Every structure is written in structure tokens, then in C-alpha cells.
Amino acid sequence: MKKNMGGLDRIIRFIAAAVIGVLFYTEVLQGTLAYVLLGLSGIFVLTSFVSFCPLYALVGLNTFKDKLPY
């Protein structure tokens, strides 16, 4: 897997996952929507840790900036 997510994308996904987790824990989100969003937040956390998004690869998007000049 080649990295295709930049630092800003990873931070935004992690923050979104944390917000969803807090809303679920405080029972603001309930029912089926809560579990769907909780699953989505799990995917966000996983993709932010590995710096690879399958959807980005599918559409050809790459926000990862390689620091090597070559």
C-alpha cells in the first residue's frame, strides 16, 4: 500500500472520529445512525493511522507530499 493521505487529511479524519465517539458516548447519537457513524469513525481512525484511503486510490486522489526531492 502506497501512502495517499496527507497530514491534514489524517488530522481531520481523526478529529471527526473523536467527535462521533464523544457524541455516541454521551448518547446524543442513538439508534441505527449511531452505529453506522461509529463504524465510519472506526474506518476513519484506521485509514488515518495507515495513511491510505481506498476511495482516494479508486478516484486517483493523492494528498500525500513526499519529502524526498527525487
Side-chain angles (χ1 to χ4, degrees):
M1 265 185 306
K2 191 173 182 180
K3 292 182 179 184
N4 65 358
M5 287 179 57
L8 182 61
D9 293 340
R10 294 174 60 203
I11 291 170
I12 290 171
R13 286 176 185 239
F14 191 77
I15 290 172
V19 168
I20 291 170
V22 167
L23 292 176
F24 180 78
Y25 182 74
T26 59
E27 297 181 357
V28 172
L29 294 174
Q30 296 178 349
T32 305
L33 177 65
Y35 291 110
V36 169
L37 289 177
L38 198 60
L40 183 66
S41 68
I43 293 170
F44 279 176
V45 169
L46 178 66
T47 57
S48 66
F49 279 134
V50 297
S51 298
F52 178 78
C53 179
L55 289 177
Y56 279 14
L58 186 65
V59 297
L61 186 62
N62 185 356
T63 60
F64 180 72
K65 303 293 184 224
D66 196 6
K67 294 185 180 193
L68 297 174
Y70 47 88

